[in-house]
Amino acid sequence: MNALQSLTINKTAGAVPRVKLLIGGEWVDSQTNEWRDIVNPATQEVLAQVPFATEAEVDAAVASAKQAFQTWRYTPIGARMRIMLKLQALVREHSKRIAVVLSAEQGKTIADAEGDIFRGLEVVEHACSIGTLQMGEFSENVAGGVDTYTLRQPIGVCAGITPFNFPAMIPLWMFPMAIACGNTFVLKPSEQDPMSTMLLVELAVEAGVPAGVLNVVHGGKQVVDGICTHKDIKAVSFVGSTEVGTHVYNLAGQHGKRVQSMMGAKNHAVVLADANREQTLNALVGAGFGAAGQRCMATSVVVLVGAAKQWLPDLKALAQKLTVNAGSEAGTDVGPLISKRAKERVLSLIESGVREGATLELDGRGVSVPGFEDGNFVGPTLFSGVTTEMQIYTQEIFGPVLVVLEVDTLDQAIALVNANPYGNGTGLFTQSGAAARKFQNEIDVGQVGINIPIPVPVPYFSFTGSRGSKLGDLGPYGKQVVQFYTQTKTVTSRWFDDDSVNDGVNTTINLR
């Protein structure tokens, strides 16, 4: 299969490839006048151009999905499962090739790109169990000769809006479960790095997803708003920033749609002095600086408790050992940020930390990588002496910046975490079972790790961020997402034999 099948090369020699749309099973050249460059963040090379789809193209994608739903909803569940089985096999087969594309357009190391794909693949594997996941319930003889049972039926056309930081994992969180449940889907990948997403979509088509069941449109706010307000879309799933996520949730909700919106975070790691020192420090540095800090579940705040305050020099020394380089290069620990704009924002927040009085223990500004001098690099940056009023604490930095706060007791640490408006993830590092139990019971955060720095659950559980990190009551995978993508229908039935005794007229609501 051609690695750039979803791209069309202009006939003019040397022209930049252009990403297509997928509408009704056909790869479509957009008729838009607005295109955006897809830029390698390590080199600034323009890899391709992505269209900002027209309103008519979005309408066509939704119309195709609506038409396909009329037959796809009745496709036997075994047939849907077999497509998911084929898709997971194809993703496994092509994961290394896709990882190269993902690294080039997003900046991740090859190993991290492969991890991005694998965590999405786990959800595809879970979708292969849709036969049991979508089962209803049955209760016999709830009254005389009366049975009650529930059906979990697909809801129609669903849509997903995905972020730049996980161009493989997040799309695979969305469309496989939606279509496995019998829905059709319109996907809007990030306009910053859609090529690896499109390779996964190609594999879905190759796996046998019928025409119109999966459609892809590209674009910015206009396309997002078009999805949120379209009368034929029944549900919208979003992962991204708090600002956009709140907008999506409100706009789509106002137009009568189911919405799940996974948004920003400020994830704390609380460290007690009895924790395994070496393992804890390794975990903190990996979770804080991996993927250049561009993970919604990245550890961005370390809370050192009591005698653990003495660990700061060791944390700094370990962070200093990380290698900053292009994601494509062997031995890279920290790659570039996604864009020059993202780099400028991170640098601005680092400067605010200095200005507001935090101690800059490790300064990642001014990093220059030989051979990649134009890259969007920021090195590992570490602050101590941080207070909860500083911008580097209150804002999600989304870069390789780790801030350290200090408290005297576990109770103070719990209060600090709970006072933060975000509730995506948190972790406690300790060897005390009593402390761990207290922490997991009292902490007001959706996902908790005990000696785990990034507590993203496996797909047979559900992603359960909370408070300011999530709008909507159901998560994007696991059991909860089956509820999100299906409508429960309850049937109460009684069958009579020809010689049944006539009970007469019953004017009450009681079943007899």
Side-chain angles (χ1 to χ4, degrees):
M1 186 180 64
N2 182 355
L4 296 179
Q5 179 179 320
S6 63
L7 305 177
T8 178
I9 306 297
N10 293 339
K11 295 186 181 299
T12 305
V16 176
R18 285 186 161 183
V19 180
K20 292 187 177 183
L21 312 173
L22 177 63
I23 300 176
E26 300 292 331
W27 298 104
V28 177
D29 294 311
S30 177
Q31 299 305 302
T32 186
N33 293 320
E34 185 177 359
W35 296 80
R36 175 171 177 156
D37 290 341
I38 303 168
V39 178
N40 183 319
T43 65
Q44 307 308 315
E45 174 192 2
V46 177
L47 303 173
Q49 290 184 324
V50 61
F52 279 37
T54 66
E55 182 178 349
E57 289 166 342
V58 174
D59 287 342
V62 177
S64 172
K66 183 179 180 181
Q67 181 178 359
F69 178 67
Q70 303 310 313
T71 53
W72 180 246
R73 65 182 302 184
Y74 297 117
T75 300
I77 201 164
R80 288 184 257 143
M81 290 170 61
R82 284 187 286 275
I83 290 174
M84 291 299 109
L85 285 166
K86 178 66 172 176
L87 176 58
Q88 66 87 24
L90 287 170
V91 173
R92 283 187 180 277
E93 178 184 352
H94 294 281
S95 62
K96 291 187 179 299
R97 176 174 61 83
I98 298 171
V100 172
V101 175
L102 196 160
S103 177
E105 65 176 347
Q106 203 277 341
K108 292 186 179 186
T109 66
I110 296 295
D112 197 28
E114 290 178 352
D116 185 335
I117 297 164
F118 179 75
R119 292 311 302 267
L121 175 62
E122 289 182 314
V123 177
V124 181
E125 292 172 339
H126 196 227
C128 297
S129 302
I130 196 64
T132 53
L133 296 174
Q134 203 171 341
M135 282 183 175
E137 299 173 311
F138 186 96
S139 187
E140 184 181 34
N141 218 35
V142 297
V146 177
D147 304 325
T148 297
Y149 52 95
T150 60
L151 309 173
R152 286 208 164 272
Q153 297 181 326
I155 59 176
V157 180
C158 301
I161 301 164
T162 63
F164 77 84
N165 58 330
F166 284 97
M169 183 182 76
I170 304 299
L172 291 177
W173 279 10
M174 293 183 184
F175 75 80
M177 288 302 298
I179 64 179
C181 287
N183 302 289
T184 54
F185 205 82
V186 177
L187 176 65
K188 207 289 296 179
S190 169
E191 67 278 12
Q192 297 188 75
D193 52 4
M195 293 193 298
S196 47
T197 306
M198 295 304 287
L199 293 179
L200 293 167
V201 171
E202 290 176 17
L203 295 181
V205 173
E206 184 176 337
V209 173
V213 171
L214 176 59
N215 304 269
V216 182
V217 293
H218 304 283
K221 183 178 185 300
Q222 182 177 349
V223 172
V224 168
D225 288 355
I227 288 171
C228 292
T229 59
H230 202 289
K231 62 183 177 59
D232 291 326
I233 291 178
K234 305 302 181 183
V236 177
S237 183
F238 171 87
V239 176
S241 71
T242 297
E243 180 182 2
V244 179
T246 302
H247 171 75
V248 167
Y249 183 81
N250 290 334
L251 185 61
Q254 290 165 7
H255 286 79
K257 308 184 191 318
R258 296 184 180 186
V259 192
Q260 53 178 205
S261 187
M262 307 297 121
M263 308 184 300
K266 200 70 178 180
N267 305 311
H268 299 67
V270 176
V271 181
L272 302 186
D274 70 341
N276 182 297
R277 192 163 182 151
E278 182 177 2
Q279 291 180 349
T280 299
L281 290 171
N282 285 335
L284 296 177
V285 171
F289 302 117
Q294 297 175 120
R295 295 171 177 151
C296 63
M297 289 293 292
T299 297
S300 54
V301 181
V302 176
V303 183
L304 299 178
V305 182
K309 299 172 187 178
Q310 301 170 12
W311 294 19
L312 181 61
D314 292 339
L315 182 62
K316 174 182 176 179
L318 189 58
Q320 284 178 311
K321 295 179 180 179
L322 297 180
T323 299
V324 180
N325 206 340
S328 59
E329 301 303 296
T332 299
D333 297 307
V334 180
L337 295 168
I338 185 66
S339 67
K340 288 188 176 298
R341 180 180 179 183
K343 177 181 177 179
E344 290 169 0
R345 181 179 180 277
V346 171
L347 293 178
S348 174
L349 283 166
I350 293 173
E351 290 166 5
S352 78
V354 174
R355 186 172 59 251
E356 293 178 356
T359 301
L360 186 57
E361 301 280 352
L362 186 59
D363 189 352
R365 297 173 294 179
V367 169
S368 180
V369 178
F372 299 95
E373 287 79 7
D374 292 331
N376 308 322
F377 296 103
V378 176
T381 299
L382 182 66
F383 278 103
S384 66
V386 177
T387 66
T388 56
E389 295 79 24
M390 294 178 178
Q391 289 186 65
I392 53 173
Y393 178 78
T394 60
Q395 294 194 31
E396 184 178 26
I397 300 175
F398 229 59
V401 181
L402 196 57
V403 304
V404 177
L405 286 78
E406 298 179 354
V407 296
D408 294 326
T409 68
L410 178 58
D411 283 329
Q412 291 173 342
I414 291 172
L416 187 153
V417 176
N418 286 347
N420 190 279
Y422 292 110
N424 210 31
T426 189
L428 175 70
F429 290 85
T430 183
Q431 295 190 73
S432 167
R437 194 169 192 278
K438 174 183 176 65
F439 186 82
Q440 70 185 36
N441 287 341
E442 296 182 13
I443 208 72
D444 186 15
V445 174
Q447 295 165 126
V448 180
I450 305 298
N451 299 311
I452 299 289
I454 302 179
V456 178
V458 292
Y460 23 95
F461 289 86
S462 295
F463 191 95
T464 52
S466 62
R467 294 195 285 137
S469 296
K470 176 183 176 183
L471 291 171
D473 61 338
L474 297 172
Y477 58 75
K479 294 179 180 179
Q480 291 184 11
V481 85
V482 177
Q483 298 176 50
F484 182 75
Y485 285 130
T486 59
Q487 176 67 48
T488 301
K489 180 181 290 183
T490 304
V491 180
T492 303
S493 68
R494 171 187 279 169
W495 295 95
F496 298 101
D497 295 327
D498 289 342
D499 57 355
S500 298
V501 176
N502 190 336
D503 292 334
V505 175
N506 178 12
T507 60
T508 73
I509 61 172
N510 295 325
L511 292 173
R512 296 180 294 187

